């Protein structure tokens, strides 16, 4: 009987403590300045909701995205930082909410593959240039004694160029 | 009845297309020209037949035949006549039919040309284009039938079919349709898809000729000369499709921008990149007989990316790889891309040794060398875009996790690549074909070497910046410095040709630094734009003056005739000018865009930059005949205290499709765009509203550049009086002067 009464008292005490905590939180929140729309959008701009594909959260007109923006406002009012809020959405909805994949594990490929491929392309081009120039040097040697004049394939262009040279 | 007729014609067309492929193949391999001729006539028949089928569908759309599932899903009684017609490409089955229709128009047109000189190409052009057409028609006939009706099958599930399934019952006739997605009711969206599709299908023709050249072993540039204008028109349509898409996004999507690096946008952008590289590199083949293999690779890539782009948007793969697997058309598209790509590349490798260059590269300072660098940059942008689009799919397949690759990824990687492309646009036309010495351009020495060495620094910078944004500030500085080094190196190399332009660009940049911005990226951009504009305009100026001097013509006559005599060259220059104007707009919105948002009561105001908007009223009403609910706010705009007028941002809600759209109020000048959005109003009160304002500096130069681009490409693509008289000797050399086409 005593135990039962004790439990009941504990329940009341817990309830009271929760209400007090709630009040305190509310008063703390009320003390902070209300986040502006611009502060909310600055974070929302970097997030994508899983439903509205490829539409940043700050401009998405759906009701779900409006609720997400309200949540950001709430978190900002509670004093959360930008990184904490972004992490909160990642924890709850996965990495796809971020505008770029996090630099971990498999995602590294997104960042490494393009520069490597571009580098290979540049290397191929450079090698090709070198081989062409080598061949060209041989051709130039062969042509050196012939004294051939190059002919234009377009009389008008040749004439125009001649005029331009005279002017220069 | 009409639906049955339309579907029947579609099936017959599909069979005729298959016959066309078979007859052309049999005629060519069996040396029976009569069969090739029969195949040609069969292909010619596809256009009128698909026209009949498309008209049947349009008839059903216009007459609200809601028995047909496609009509029910994309139209409603309240839609105006013209929108019911454009609903032809408002959904998947109709879009595929429209694609096939346009393709048949192009393939039929190409069979009508005189084939006397190039008879050996004919069967293979027919085969390639008919195989592509047959593929698209098969999608309509077997998977996405636009004429299908709605039924409940024996299991009580909804199904689409031409005829009543066994044990099924027809779905009761619907009183009204679901209506077209409101976002598709904008004039930009009415023209945008046909433009993109025209661009897409036009590239099938140069590809067909390229394959024909490979199969027949023609190693000259005949296929390029035959398809030069096809390629230019394809590029025109694709470019305009992209531009119109940007304008549509700006006017309708309500997010203050024109380009969001959305995978659907990138799907259309990728063939444009290879198409643009192709346009430049074919000039090298025509002038110098080089890069034959590379041009083949580019046109094969362009064709594959056209089909890939259609696959991305039509298969549902962007939503999820699982959606792709479940969709009927996804696996078919995937297989088609794989088969055509592998076959084309196999053909290319078979002919690889026969496609060697007729001449060799003369110098790293020659125009062909710069064009090759241009190609590398376009392909680099393609690599970034392709990686960005497929990474989420690969990630989902490999790890089960979806990721988002958004604008920051693309912007960071592509910005330095575009900067160097802009530089090349200014400098490459001033260089000469086959330049052998540095005499005209200055000797290579330390500054030049510095510029060249900066290229790997940029690549490394891009890489490092991608890897670690924590050092973003530092790496961006490294990239900017490297880009500046490259610019200086190139200017030094080409100092004789560009020194005047460089002086102008320096003055413009200094002016911008004193009056407008201290942002180093913006100043670099302004320098490049001014340099390229000045260098290109100088080309017009000095050539016109030269002509004026020798022909005793007045300036405008000399300019007109100069451009008329070499349309491709000066049309190209005009396109470069238009690109620079577009770059002004892009730079403005990307770097200087400002935004703010606030909830206002009537009479309250919001300030951004020099602008102030005062919220005056909001009204909400129904337009029942149109089935639309409008909410319109009125705000008055002042700039530095001076009243400019009222703007009316609004939200439209379409009852039939149960979708809304946000239409901005815009105040546009050459200086900037004030862009006001009505974000919200109902939850607040009848008198309050949440408004969002953007100031988009210089953005209108993007659209002005678009118009000049159009003029430029029309000039470049305008047919010659007698194309047969055009110079055709690729291997002939041209003088070492600063301009040759």
């Amino acid at each position: 009987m005593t135990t039962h009464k004790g439990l009941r008292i504990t329940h009341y005490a817990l309830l009271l403590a929760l209400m007090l905590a709630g009040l305190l939180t509310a008063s703390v929140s009320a003390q902070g300045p209300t986040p502006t729309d611009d502060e909310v959008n600055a974070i929302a701009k970097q997030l994508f909701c899983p439903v509205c594909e490829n539409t940043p959260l700050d401009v998405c007109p759906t009701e779900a995205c409006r609720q997400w923006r309200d949540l950001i406002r709430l978190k900002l009012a509670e004093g959360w930082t930008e990184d904490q809020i972004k992490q909160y959405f990642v924890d709850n909805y996965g990495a796809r909410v971020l505008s770029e994949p996090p630099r971990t594990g498999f995602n590294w490929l997104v960042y490494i593959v393009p520069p490597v491929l571009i580098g290979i392309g540049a290397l191929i081009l450079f090698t090709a240039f070198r081989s062409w120039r080598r061949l060209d040097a041989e051709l130039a040697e062969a042509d050196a004694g012939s004294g051939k004049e190059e002919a234009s394939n377009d009389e008008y262009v040749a004439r125009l160029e001649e005029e331009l040279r005279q002017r220069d | 009845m009409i639906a049955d007729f339309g579907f029947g014609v579609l099936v017959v067309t599909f069979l005729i297309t298959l016959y066309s492929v078979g007859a052309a193949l049999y005629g060519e391999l069996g040396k029976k020209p009569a069969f090739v001729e029969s195949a040609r006539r069969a292909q010619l028949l596809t256009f009128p037949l698909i026209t009949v089928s498309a008209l049947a569908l349009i008839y059903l759309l216009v007459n609200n035949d809601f028995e047909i599932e496609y009509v029910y899903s994309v139209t409603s009684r309240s839609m105006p006549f013209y929108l019911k017609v454009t609903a032809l490409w408002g959904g998947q089955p109709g879009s595929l039919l429209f694609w096939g229709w346009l393709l048949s128009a192009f393939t039929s047109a190409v069979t009508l040309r005189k084939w006397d000189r190039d008879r050996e190409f004919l069967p293979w052009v027919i085969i390639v284009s008919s195989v592509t057409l047959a593929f698209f028609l098969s999608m309509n006939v077997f998977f996405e039938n636009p004429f299908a009706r709605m039924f409940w099958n024996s299991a009580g599930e909804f199904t689409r079919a031409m005829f009543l399934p066994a044990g099924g019952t027809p779905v009761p006739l619907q009183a009204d349709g679901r209506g077209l997605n409101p976002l598709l009711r904008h004039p930009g969206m009415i023209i945008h898809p046909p433009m993109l599709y025209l661009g897409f299908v036009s590239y099938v023709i140069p590809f067909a000729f390229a394959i024909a050249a490979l199969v027949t072993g023609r190693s000259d540039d005949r296929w390029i000369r035959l398809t030069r204008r096809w390629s230019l028109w394809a590029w025109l349509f694709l470019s305009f499709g992209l531009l119109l898409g940007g304008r549509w996004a700006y006017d309708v999507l309500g997010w203050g921008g024109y380009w969001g690096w959305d995978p659907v946008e990138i799907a259309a952008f990728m063939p444009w990149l290879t198409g643009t590289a192709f346009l430049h590199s074919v000039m090298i083949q025509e002038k110098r007989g080089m890069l034959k293999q590379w041009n083949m690779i580019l046109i094969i890539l362009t064709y594959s990316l056209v089909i890939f782009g259609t696959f991305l948007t039509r298969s549902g793969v962007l939503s999820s790889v699982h959606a792709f697997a479940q969709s009927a058309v996804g696996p078919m598209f995937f297989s088609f891309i794989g088969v055509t790509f592998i076959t084309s590349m196999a053909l290319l490798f078979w002919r690889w040794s026969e496609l060697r260059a007729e001449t060799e590269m003369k110098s790293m300072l020659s125009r062909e060398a710069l064009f090759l660098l241009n190609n590398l940059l376009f392909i680099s942008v393609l690599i970034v875009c392709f990686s960005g689009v497929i990474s989420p799919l690969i990630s989902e397949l490999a790890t089960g996790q979806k990721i988002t690759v958004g604008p920051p990824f693309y912007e960071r990687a592509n910005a330095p690549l575009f900067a160097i492309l802009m530089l090349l646009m200014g400098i490459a036309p001033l260089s000469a074909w086959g330049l052998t010495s540095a005499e005209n351009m200055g000797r290579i020495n330390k500054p030049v070497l510095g510029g060249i060495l900066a290229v790997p620094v940029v690549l490394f910078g891009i890489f490092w910046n991608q890897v670690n944004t924590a050092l973003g500030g530092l790496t961006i500085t490294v990239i900017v410095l490297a880009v500046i080094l490259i610019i200086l190196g190139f200017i030094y190399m080409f100092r004789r040709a560009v020194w005047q332009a460089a002086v102008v660009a320096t003055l413009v940049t200094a002016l911008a630094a004193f009056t407008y911005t201290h942002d180093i990226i913006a100043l670099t951009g302004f320098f490049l734009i001014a340099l390229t504009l000045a260098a290109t305009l100088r080309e017009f100026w000095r050539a016109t003056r030269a002509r004026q001097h020798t022909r005793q013509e007045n300036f405008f006559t000399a300019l007109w005739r100069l451009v008329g005599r070499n349309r491709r060259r000066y049309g190209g220059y005009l396109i470069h000018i238009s690109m620079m104007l577009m770059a002004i707009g892009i730079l403005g919105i990307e770097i200087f865009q400002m935004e703010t948002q606030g909830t206002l009561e009537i009479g309250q105001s919001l300030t951004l930059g020099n602008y102030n908007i005062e919220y005056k009223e909001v009204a909400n009403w129904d337009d029942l005949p149109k089935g639309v609910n409008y909410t319109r706010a009125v705000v008055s705009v002042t700039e530095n205290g001076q009243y400019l007028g009222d703007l009316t941002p609004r939200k439209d809600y379409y009852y039939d499709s149960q979708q809304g759209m946000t239409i901005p109020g815009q105040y546009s000048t050459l200086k900037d765009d004030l862009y006001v959005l009505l974000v919200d109003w109902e939850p607040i009160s009848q008198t309050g509203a949440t408004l969002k304002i953007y100031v988009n500096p210089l953005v209108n130069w993007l659209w002005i550049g678009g118009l000049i681009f159009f003029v430029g490409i029309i000039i470049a693509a305008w047919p010659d009086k007698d194309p047969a008289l055009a110079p055709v000797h690729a291997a002939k050399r041209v003088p070492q002067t600063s301009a040759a086409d």
Side-chain angles (χ1 to χ4, degrees), chain B residues 153-338:
Chain B
N153 65 16
S154 54
E157 294 161 343
F158 174 81
T159 184
R160 295 183 308 163
M162 274 315 289
F163 306 106
L164 182 67
T169 49
V171 171
L173 189 62
Q174 303 296 305
D176 202 354
R178 293 210 302 256
L180 195 62
N181 182 337
L183 296 175
L184 304 182
R185 301 184 190 198
H186 181 268
M189 203 54 181
I190 291 167
I191 312 167
H192 161 72
M195 280 286 169
L196 275 188
Y197 289 177
L198 277 171
F200 281 178
V201 299
S202 313
Y203 272 120
V204 173
I205 305 301
F207 171 75
F209 274 89
I211 296 299
L214 282 177
V215 176
T216 55
R218 285 276 294 260
S219 63
D220 59 2
D221 61 357
R222 183 72 187 148
W223 72 272
I224 283 177
R225 291 183 181 279
L226 288 173
T227 58
R228 181 199 282 167
R229 290 190 201 285
W230 287 101
S231 309
L232 263 176
W233 286 108
W235 195 67
L236 165 76
F237 290 131
L238 200 50
S239 306
F240 246 75
L242 287 166
L243 261 174
L244 283 169
R247 184 70 213 194
W248 165 79
Y250 193 71
D251 285 346
V252 169
L253 294 187
W255 46 270
Y258 57 90
W259 182 262
W261 293 105
D262 181 288
V264 175
E265 293 169 336
I266 297 171
F269 186 50
M270 287 192 292
W272 185 87
L273 289 168
T274 48
T276 313
F278 179 72
L279 270 186
H280 288 91
S281 72
V282 290
M283 287 187 222
I284 303 179
Q285 184 168 345
E286 287 178 36
K287 289 285 169 189
R288 308 269 302 148
M290 299 170 70
L291 302 185
K292 292 177 179 178
Q293 297 140 337
W294 177 237
N295 286 329
M296 283 290 176
I297 291 175
L298 280 178
I299 197 66
I300 291 169
L301 269 180
T302 306
Y303 173 83
S304 300
L305 288 168
V306 159
I307 308 291
F308 182 68
T310 316
F311 158 73
L312 279 182
T313 48
R314 294 283 149 218
S315 66
V317 71
L318 293 172
S319 304
S320 159
V321 283
H322 307 301
F324 149 71
Q326 286 158 13
S327 89
V329 298
M332 299 300 292
F333 261 98
F334 197 69
S335 310
F336 185 72
I337 294 165

Side-chain angles (χ1 to χ4, degrees), chain B residues 49 71 77-78 120 124 170 173 268 297 328 345 353 359 364 417 424 426 432 435 442 449 535 551 579 608 629 657 703:
Chain B
L49 284 175
V71 177
R77 291 186 187 279
S78 59
E120 76 259 42
W124 300 105
L173 189 62
I297 291 175
M345 292 308 283
S353 58
T359 52
M364 286 175 84
L417 300 172
L424 287 183
L435 185 78
L449 203 61
R551 304 285 177 92
M579 289 285 174
L608 184 64
N629 175 271
S657 59
W703 318 121

Side-chain angles (χ1 to χ4, degrees), chain B residues 80-98:
Chain B
F81 176 82
Y82 75 96
L83 278 180
K84 286 179 180 172
V85 174
T86 62
L88 176 64
W89 54 86
Q92 174 107 313
S95 286
L96 290 169
L97 179 63
F98 189 53

Side-chain angles (χ1 to χ4, degrees), chain A residues 15-32:
Chain A
L15 194 64
L16 194 67
L18 275 172
M19 283 170 70
L20 273 171
L23 276 172
L24 274 172
T25 315
S27 63
V28 165
S29 300
Q31 280 167 8

Side-chain angles (χ1 to χ4, degrees), chain A residues 36-38 41-42 45 48 53-56 58-59 61 66 69 73 94-103 106-122 125-126 128-133 135-136 139-140 143 150-154 156-168, chain B residues 254-255 262-263 287 291 318-319 360-362 364 369 372-373 376 380 383-384 387 391 394-395 398-399 402-409 412 459 463 465-469 538 542-543 545-547 549-551 562 565-566 569-570 595-599 680 690 692 694 727 729 732-740:
Chain A
T36 63
D37 286 353
D38 290 344
N41 282 341
K45 197 187 276 292
F48 288 77
E53 282 159 8
N54 306 307
T55 308
D58 66 323
V59 291
R66 199 175 64 80
R69 287 194 293 271
R73 193 186 305 276
R96 64 182 299 183
V97 298
L98 298 173
S99 58
E100 282 187 288
R103 288 154 179 81
F106 191 80
N107 295 334
W108 276 102
L109 282 180
V110 184
Y111 300 100
I112 291 170
V113 169
V116 167
L117 287 181
I118 294 171
I120 292 171
L125 194 64
F126 184 69
F129 269 138
R130 285 191 59 178
S131 66
W132 282 326
R133 289 188 75 197
L135 278 164
D136 181 50
L139 279 174
D143 283 352
E150 289 184 337
S152 168
N153 66 347
D154 184 332
Y156 174 76
V157 170
R159 197 162 60 240
L160 177 64
E161 297 304 333
E162 186 55 36
E163 290 163 7
L164 295 177
R165 249 197 310 279
Q166 283 167 6
R167 286 183 64 79
D168 284 343
Chain B
W255 46 270
D262 181 288
K287 289 285 169 189
L291 302 185
L318 293 172
S319 304
E360 297 297 342
M361 188 73 69
K362 292 284 184 183
M364 286 175 84
L372 263 183
L373 189 56
L376 172 70
S380 300
I383 288 169
V384 171
S387 308
S391 292
I394 292 176
S395 171
T399 67
K402 278 215 79 171
I403 53 170
T404 302
V405 180
F409 172 85
R412 253 200 335 262
L459 292 174
F463 168 70
N465 197 34
Q466 295 287 15
V467 169
N468 194 344
T469 45
R538 183 173 171 270
R542 66 175 193 154
R545 293 286 294 169
R547 196 182 160 97
H549 184 69
T550 52
R551 304 285 177 92
L562 177 79
R565 285 297 301 271
N566 204 336
R569 176 183 179 184
Y570 290 101
E595 64 173 85
T596 189
Q597 182 176 309
T599 302
D680 221 343
T690 302
K692 186 168 192 174
Y694 292 91
H729 308 294
K732 273 192 178 178
R733 293 175 180 183
V734 292
Q736 293 168 33
T737 52
S738 70

